[in-house]
Amino acid sequence: MQEEKKGRRDFMGKALGAWVAVGGIGALYAMKRTWDPLPSVKAAGFTTIDLADAQPNQLVVEKWRGKPIFVLKKSADMKKDPRDVVVGDDHFLIAIGLCTHLGCIPAYVGAEHKFKCACHGGEFNASGEVLKSPPPSPLVIPPFTIDGTKLVLGEAGPEFKKLKDAGLIA
Amino acid sequence: MRELKILAVVVFFSLLTYYLVEPYAHSQMHKHVEGHNFVYTGEDDIQEASKEKKEVKEKFWSEVKTIAALKGDPAAGEAGFGMCMGCHNGAGVNMGGVIPPNLDHAGALYSKNYLIALIKDPAMASNVDHKYADTMTHPMGSVKTMFTDNQSIADVVAYLMTKKAGDVTPKEAYEEACGRCHAMRYAKLTQLGETPKFKHEKDALAYKIKVIDAQDAVKAYMGKLPPDLSIMIRARSEHFMETFVENPQSQLSGTSMPRTGLTEEGYAKVKAYLEEVGDPSKPKREAVGPWVLGFFFIFTILAYLWKQSQWRDLH
Amino acid sequence: MAHFDENAKPFSNKWLDERIGLNTLKRVLNTEYWIPKNINFLWAMGMVLAATFGILLVSGIMLLMYYKPDTNLAFDSVNYTIMSEVGYGWLWRHVHAVGASIVFLIIYIHMFTGIYYGSYKRGRELIWLSGMGLFVAFSAEAFSGYMLPWGQMSYWAGMVITNLFSLGSLDVTGLVEWIRGDYVPGDAYLTRFFMLHVMLIPLAIIGLIVLHFGTLRLPHVNNQESEEIDFEESAALWKAGKRKESKVIPFSPVFLSKDVFVMGVYFILFFYLVFYNFEFAMDPVNFDPADGLKTPTHIYPEWYFLWSYEILRPFSKDIGLIAFGVAQAAMFFLPFIDRSPNVAPAHKRGLFQIWFWVLLIDMITLTAMGKLPPTNPTFATIGLIAAVLFLAMGPILFIITMFEKKIEKGA
């Protein structure tokens, strides 16, 4: 008799505890949503760059999602690369301007057609490929789509998907 | 049972306090204003008017009634409307203090009686005649010289009511009826419409100066800059909003805000937009509320059973 | 050095007991923290308050993530970012606003319960005093929080309340400016009240809650008949399995189970208000941005400050301020004003019972008059009478309790 009562007491306490846990999960979900990036932050994750104004061998740095974006129009004497973004007849390097080693911003040396990173001495060529370690991989190409001479960063268009399918970008 | 009696006492005094500080206090604090369901017959205007003006207003609104009874011809009205287009062209250019409103949905938004009155005498119709010694000096005052006979007014209003009465979205309703004077920063709207995005700060600042110029013009005309309406829907009670929009003088005597002449449906559209911007969480509140309350109902039942199991052999 | 069992598994009951005295903690705080059995739901208000404080803390932390204590940004960070952009931001804000208002309803119920059952009397004075400390801290917390949305009510409440510190005709404007950090409530003012609201006062509240619980441990919770219980004897009965005969129950799980049930009922009311009836806690006037050049037509404090506001209002400036000060302090002295040796519920204490109900009704009257427009002479007169009566309630209590008949034990 005594045991039976105790059993019922424990059971009801546990049932209530389980129900509170359900509510707790709901509350945690709401808290998680509060931590999410704001819709306005996400909506602002697109940057449009007009490539028509670019000059050959002159690096333009734009900003996309808080990161620097390298836009480099290749001059005739620069090597073409399958990773180039082609608009009309012009070839461009479009890449996130952060060294793939530890995230410093490499400087462009126009005369040598090279990116040199001051932090740990890494070097990239004008197509973003590694010339000198420590960087383990080429400069990263952000998702983009081409709209006439305009480049929209943040949206994966057909050209971007093609590069991706070809295994040229991670 | 003793415990329930105590509960009754607690509930009684809590509700009494609530009643006194909320419904009762607010009923004493605010002026009582009767609504008219957005029907414009000038009843209030005549009642509020000073002795010397009463007669003029009575005459004015009775003429409006006469015109409303006439059968208007939309085809004839179209030619008359051509004159309106001189100013109401949607160009957003300030004329005499205000930007003439776009009339694309006038027939859907505004009451017929109001439109008739407005063409007859804009200052009288919008109940701001106290601002003008001669209502001819109202920015739209010259309309009186354009439509001089009753039939031409009936015709142009018939034209508006049939040809300019297409479907209107809440946002369009807001922009046409309120947006020329009121900004709404939470929707990125100013007196000049939607604020575009600028890449260069210089362009953004140049645009800002244009907005300030437009606001200064409205300010010069209205006496003060009409308030931003972003969350007006939460800052004023439903009743206040309705009666104020219907006749601004009723709630704020002497205000320079003109009556807009919205119909009940037109106001419903405007209100929907004010709510969409000013109280966007309302649909989410209504969706989440029942779940949370349901959770606590079950919580309470389980807690009661637990309590019963703990307390059953105590007495 | 104490003995540590080599074979105890890490984090097992025994292992923890040897290190932090787990079993002692459980015993002292839960299973052998004895609560009288003869209680009603009013005894759950303490835990209801603790739960509400917890809700305010959590919702407050969520709001902190996007709130900006800057006069140019505060209003829109609350009304735009939090209300329309942040996921469930509107929920936290509604919960926080309703919680801040309703917590005072529970505080008042809790206080009047204490007064009715004589729970401030001999042996329990410190419970009352620490509780009053909490009341003051919660009031400061509510006021400082009210500044943060930087609406019209925030600004003008800040203006009016800080002006009280000019101390009437003493005109200590220096003190007022010092409190504001400016000539009027401005950026410095908002930021420092933000600091008070999210840091200093919450710390004080948490400390006071610990103290309040501490003062409760030895005198124990009072009971419906204010009976003096031999806790040791009753506890022994309970431990011997004589649940019926014992006059006490352990805090956990028996007392707690009833608390949780009361909390459930309370939460239904609470969330009903959060979702469907929140305007009493989120005044429309505060949805107009602060404007230092335009006072709203009607300004009034939140409902829980109205009674003290009304004590200030009907008098001339200096007298009003003194009356206000006296009223705020008087409550602290309740255990010492009450001269009667009887520890008994009001219905057994003759005149005290009348005094109790008069006090309650007087405070409700003050509350109502504090919000009603004073331009109406009827309301102004009722307010004045109620304020004078409130001030007289202290001396009256002193006199009636001096002559209160001693209740004989067992009578």
Side-chain angles (χ1 to χ4, degrees), chain A residues 129-151:
Chain A
E129 286 153 341
V130 181
L131 293 175
K132 198 172 144 205
S133 66
S137 52
L139 292 175
V140 178
I141 297 177
F144 65 88
T145 186
I146 296 167
D147 176 17
T149 62
K150 292 208 169 85
L151 186 79

Side-chain angles (χ1 to χ4, degrees), chain A residues 2 9 16 27 29-31 33-36 38-40, chain C residues 58 62 65-66 81 85-89 91-92 243 260:
Chain A
Q2 201 66 26
R9 281 204 285 270
L16 180 65
Y29 168 73
M31 289 180 205
R33 288 275 293 101
T34 304
W35 275 90
D36 284 346
L38 295 186
S40 61
Chain C
V58 171
M62 293 294 126
M65 294 196 292
Y66 282 99
T81 312
E85 282 228 272
V86 177
Y88 291 96
L91 177 64
W92 308 124
R243 294 165 71 100
V260 171

Side-chain angles (χ1 to χ4, degrees), chain B residues 3 185-186 236 311 314, chain C residues 37 41 76 254 258 288:
Chain B
E3 204 148 351
R185 64 187 188 284
Y186 291 179
R236 300 289 181 276
W311 283 66
L314 291 189
Chain C
K37 192 192 283 180
F41 75 92
D76 288 349
V254 184
K258 184 165 179 170
D288 279 332

Side-chain angles (χ1 to χ4, degrees), chain C residues 146-349:
Chain C
Y146 203 68
M147 299 298 106
L148 304 187
W150 209 241
Q152 271 290 66
M153 277 294 200
S154 304
Y155 182 88
W156 289 101
M159 179 71 108
V160 170
I161 298 300
T162 46
N163 265 338
L164 290 180
F165 291 89
S166 69
L167 306 179
S169 297
L170 294 179
D171 259 335
V172 197
T173 39
L175 179 60
V176 177
E177 283 165 16
W178 179 77
I179 289 169
R180 293 175 183 162
D182 200 339
Y183 302 107
V184 291
D187 209 47
Y189 172 86
L190 179 61
T191 313
R192 64 184 56 175
F193 273 74
F194 171 70
M195 176 283 288
L196 289 174
H197 186 72
V198 304
M199 187 71 222
L200 195 56
I201 304 173
L203 277 182
I205 288 178
I206 291 167
L208 281 165
I209 290 176
V210 172
L211 177 66
H212 196 54
F213 284 175
T215 56
L216 208 58
R217 192 64 179 79
L218 292 183
H220 282 93
V221 175
N222 197 4
N223 58 76
Q224 268 197 108
E225 302 303 325
S226 310
E227 180 192 353
E228 239 182 279
I229 293 172
D230 185 334
F231 279 87
E232 274 171 38
E233 183 191 271
S234 275
L237 281 171
W238 178 274
K239 282 197 255 183
K242 295 187 172 163
R243 294 165 71 100
K244 271 198 183 66
E245 292 77 4
S246 175
K247 285 183 174 175
V248 298
I249 48 173
F251 175 81
S252 173
V254 184
F255 175 69
L256 201 61
S257 69
K258 184 165 179 170
D259 271 4
V260 171
F261 166 62
V262 176
M263 264 184 229
V265 176
Y266 163 73
F267 283 142
I268 292 173
L269 168 72
F270 184 92
F271 284 99
Y272 159 73
L273 295 172
V274 165
F275 289 104
Y276 302 104
N277 197 350
F278 41 81
E279 268 195 6
F280 76 98
M282 306 176 86
D283 200 288
V285 181
N286 220 21
F287 284 88
D288 279 332
D291 182 351
L293 298 177
K294 187 177 161 240
T295 312
T297 326
H298 300 283
I299 69 164
Y300 39 81
E302 287 291 275
W303 71 271
Y304 39 85
F305 291 143
L306 286 169
W307 67 269
S308 43
Y309 180 64
E310 185 58 16
I311 289 173
L312 181 80
R313 206 165 67 164
F315 302 105
S316 66
K317 191 170 171 185
D318 289 337
I319 297 174
L321 206 63
I322 294 166
F324 179 73
V326 169
Q328 302 309 306
M331 285 286 203
F332 272 93
F333 294 103
L334 187 62
F336 310 105
I337 298 173
D338 185 341
R339 308 301 300 163
S340 157
N342 295 325
V343 183
H347 59 260
K348 288 188 185 161
R349 291 181 60 191

Side-chain angles (χ1 to χ4, degrees), chain B residues 154-296:
Chain B
D155 290 346
V156 77
V157 170
Y159 172 77
L160 287 170
M161 297 307 286
T162 50
K163 301 293 176 198
K164 296 285 178 191
D167 272 347
V168 53
T169 64
K171 190 178 176 184
E172 285 167 338
Y174 167 82
E175 285 190 295
E176 289 180 26
C178 325
R180 297 170 300 119
C181 296
H182 295 276
M184 199 185 211
R185 64 187 188 284
Y186 291 179
K188 299 193 170 52
L189 293 173
T190 67
Q191 284 76 1
L192 297 183
E194 205 140 343
T195 307
K197 268 196 185 151
F198 295 100
K199 192 161 179 181
H200 300 291
E201 201 185 351
K202 204 176 151 190
D203 301 332
L205 289 174
Y207 186 79
K208 203 170 173 188
I209 288 173
K210 260 176 75 184
V211 171
I212 292 174
D213 282 341
Q215 292 182 334
D216 281 348
V218 175
K219 199 169 159 182
Y221 171 61
M222 302 294 282
K224 74 186 237 306
L225 186 67
D228 186 291
L229 296 183
S230 294
I231 49 169
M232 201 48 87
I233 197 78
R234 288 199 74 162
R236 300 289 181 276
S237 75
E238 202 160 317
H239 178 72
F240 180 95
M241 290 292 278
E242 276 170 19
T243 47
F244 184 73
V245 168
E246 198 177 85
N247 180 17
Q249 303 298 331
S250 69
Q251 291 281 8
L252 220 63
S253 184
T255 182
S256 52
M257 166 154 163
R259 164 191 285 147
T260 55
L262 285 166
T263 57
E264 201 169 356
E265 299 78 41
Y267 175 66
K269 289 267 158 89
V270 170
K271 186 181 162 195
Y273 190 65
L274 292 175
E275 229 165 46
E276 188 185 316
V277 175
D279 193 11
S281 61
K282 195 179 178 199
K284 288 176 229 157
R285 247 177 10 234
E286 281 163 2
V288 177
W291 286 96
V292 174
L293 285 186
F295 172 84
F296 280 107

